[in-house]
Amino acid sequence: MSPESDHPVEYFYNTKTRMVEKGRQSSWEHLMGPYATREEAAGALEIAKHRNDAWEDDDRWDDDRG
């Protein structure tokens, strides 16, 4: 937690600038997060890819079922 606040610091990945931001500095339309650490935010695209792959492999989300 930051000494100035009772709220934990959050990090965001900006898809437009491809940079990690400490706190929400940009429009939500360009942000992924929040993440607890700078490292997690830096890996946001990889995290999203793994989640998407897992959802595609999950039979509960199979729209082609009759």
Side-chain angles (χ1 to χ4, degrees), residues 30-47:
H30 300 297
L31 297 181
M32 296 175 72
Y35 296 93
T37 67
R38 179 174 294 280
E39 293 76 21
E40 286 178 347
L45 294 178
E46 191 64 25
I47 291 169

Side-chain angles (χ1 to χ4, degrees), residues 50-62:
H50 285 294
R51 288 179 181 165
N52 287 342
D53 290 346
W55 289 331
E56 287 178 8
D57 293 339
D58 189 329
D59 290 339
R60 294 176 294 174
W61 303 108
D62 186 0

Side-chain angles (χ1 to χ4, degrees), residues 1-14:
M1 285 198 221
S2 112
E4 302 87 27
S5 162
D6 291 337
H7 300 286
V9 174
E10 296 178 323
Y11 295 89
F12 297 85
Y13 179 77
N14 186 315

